[in-house]
Amino acid sequence: MKLIISGEIKTYEDGITISQLIKEEKVETPDYVTVSVNTEFPDREAYETTVLNEGDQVEFLYFMGGGAYGAFQ
Amino acid sequence: MALSNEQIERYSRHLILKGVGVSGQKKLLAGKVLVIGAGGLGAPALMYLAAAGVGTIGIADADVVDRSNLQRQIIHSTPDIGKKKVDSARETIEALNPDVKVITYPDYVKADNILDLIKDYDFILDGTDNFPAKFLINDACVIAKKPFCHAGIIRFSGQLMTYVPGEGPCYRCIFKDMPPKDAVPTCKEAGVIGAVAGVIGSLQAMEAVKYLLGTGELLTGKLLTYDALVSKFNRITLPSHVSNCAVCGDHPTIPKPIDYEQPACDLRKGV
Ligand SMILES: [Zn+2]
């Protein structure tokens, strides 16, 4: 089965869930990544049970800090 | 008010540009932008806003310039080490463009001062590096109905999105709540390339300029990500409305800004 991950076509086993994809893609902060599937944002609680389908477009959204420390303490 | 001869010369590349022109330049000169954090993101953003002739620029930062800042915070120079960042940034801006009125806030941004801080500005840039500040800025801007641009950088990548009241999701719609302390890497721990801060900070300045000009499309409802290692930009479409968002949803549970206890990182200096 082919999925489009951040615009790139990749092949996975049929029936892969969002949680399994996060593992397979070795996402760095698996517990804090936000996943969009075809521009929908499933609830985090549903990652275990949400099965991906052929052609799904998946994006990983990460927490990113960066900038300056001094604006807040 | 008519532009002076010096202004006509200084802004000539704007004046001949379709989409700016004299009327656009006057909008920029009348514009007020607040940059929270004069660091990696704030430095390039401030310089492009100042060079463009944004008439009033606020800078909020409580930190002082450290040698380890200079690898990316290009508004500060070696002789500025030890100076307050707001003062160092002010000096650079005043040398660059005397048209700009600079207002400095050498304070930590907190729940009890942020609404006052943002109230006079047209657009706010989040150039902070930590999640308590990012959520605080988001919540305050949503509550005060102020447009702002969020950005973050780490290692070789960065991202940004713009919030405009009533026109798309806020930062909390997407990222929900603070990650626990040390759950996600910070620049201090993971490092960052200076030019990535330059790219993303410049894009933030571009969002403010477009907003003031009222031209083009803002990054509302979009998260633009940048991966420098493979030279790839990705524009991720965000949901237009998140009904259960705690601050901008249908039944908000955050009526006023909140201070989160912990900074994202123990280490104090040098992002
Ligand atoms: Zn929201």
Side-chain angles (χ1 to χ4, degrees):
Chain A
M1 176 178 75
K2 289 190 168 55
L3 299 175
I4 304 162
I5 313 290
S6 306
E8 233 172 89
I9 299 168
K10 294 187 173 181
T11 307
Y12 301 90
E13 260 177 54
D14 285 357
I16 191 171
T17 63
I18 294 179
S19 294
Q20 287 165 337
L21 181 71
I22 289 171
K23 239 180 240 158
E24 219 162 288
E25 283 295 303
K26 299 192 175 65
V27 168
E28 185 184 19
T29 51
D31 295 337
Y32 303 101
V33 70
T34 298
V35 182
S36 110
V37 182
N38 304 326
T39 77
E40 299 284 322
F41 285 69
D43 287 337
R44 190 177 300 281
E45 297 74 50
Y47 288 1
E48 287 278 357
T49 52
T50 303
V51 174
L52 296 164
N53 297 302
E54 176 80 29
D56 278 351
Q57 296 190 30
V58 181
E59 306 282 355
F60 296 114
L61 287 75
Y62 300 97
F63 275 109
M64 273 190 206
Y69 269 121
F72 186 90
Q73 188 184 47
Chain B
M1 210 181 67
L3 298 177
S4 68
N5 286 342
E6 273 185 18
Q7 287 177 321
I8 289 170
E9 194 179 352
R10 177 182 290 271
Y11 304 119
S12 59
R13 299 301 186 278
H14 281 168
L15 301 181
I16 59 167
L17 182 59
K18 224 175 137 191
V20 186
V22 173
S23 67
Q25 189 60 50
K26 286 181 176 175
K27 287 180 193 168
L28 295 177
L29 287 163
K32 297 176 176 183
V33 177
L34 174 67
V35 178
I36 305 180
L41 293 165
L46 283 163
M47 292 182 77
Y48 276 114
L49 293 172
V54 170
T56 304
I57 298 179
I59 314 169
D61 200 311
D63 221 345
V64 296
V65 179
D66 184 269
R67 196 178 305 272
S68 70
N69 299 152
L70 302 179
Q71 165 259 9
R72 67 209 169 281
Q73 300 179 15
I74 55 168
I75 202 166
H76 312 299
S77 302
T78 308
D80 298 321
I81 292 169
K83 263 188 216 167
K84 282 186 174 165
K85 283 189 180 175
V86 291
D87 293 334
S88 163
R90 175 210 288 279
E91 287 166 20
T92 305
I93 291 173
E94 285 176 350
L96 176 59
N97 188 351
D99 285 345
V100 180
K101 180 183 167 199
V102 180
I103 304 172
T104 57
Y105 309 91
D107 309 309
Y108 291 107
V109 176
K110 307 269 251 180
D112 62 9
N113 65 7
I114 188 162
L115 290 175
D116 211 39
L117 195 67
I118 65 178
K119 74 173 193 303
D120 293 330
Y121 290 93
D122 302 317
F123 197 89
I124 292 112
L125 297 188
D126 171 5
T128 65
D129 80 314
N130 63 88
F131 300 107
K134 292 197 179 300
F135 279 96
L136 177 68
I137 292 166
N138 178 73
D139 296 350
C141 287
V142 170
I143 289 162
K145 298 191 165 57
K146 291 285 183 184
F148 82 102
C149 179
H150 151 83
I153 45 171
I154 188 98
R155 300 192 183 109
F156 291 90
S157 45
Q159 65 183 24
L160 72 158
M161 66 177 275
T162 296
Y163 168 79
V164 175
E167 285 184 31
C170 77
Y171 179 68
R172 195 182 278 280
C173 286
I174 312 306
F175 292 101
K176 308 291 178 200
D177 215 337
M178 285 240 308
K181 193 177 169 68
D182 302 329
V184 294
T186 66
C187 286
K188 174 83 187 190
E189 295 152 348
V192 66
I193 292 281
V196 166
V199 169
I200 303 296
S202 301
L203 287 168
Q204 282 189 290
M206 199 60 245
E207 291 294 289
V209 165
K210 283 188 294 180
Y211 181 83
L212 294 175
L213 292 174
T215 194
E217 253 175 69
L218 294 168
L219 284 169
T220 47
K222 307 272 187 245
L223 181 77
L224 184 67
T225 67
Y226 173 55
D227 183 342
L229 280 180
V230 292
S231 303
K232 203 169 107 179
F233 281 98
N234 193 11
R235 214 168 70 145
I236 301 170
T237 300
L238 304 174
S240 54
H241 179 66
V242 175
S243 54
N244 66 357
C245 175
V247 69
C248 81
D250 298 340
H251 306 284
T253 53
I254 301 175
K256 58 183 176 59
I258 7 171
D259 281 326
Y260 285 97
E261 292 264 305
Q262 30 117 44
C265 178
D266 280 332
L267 301 158
R268 287 290 312 138
K269 279 195 181 141
V271 168

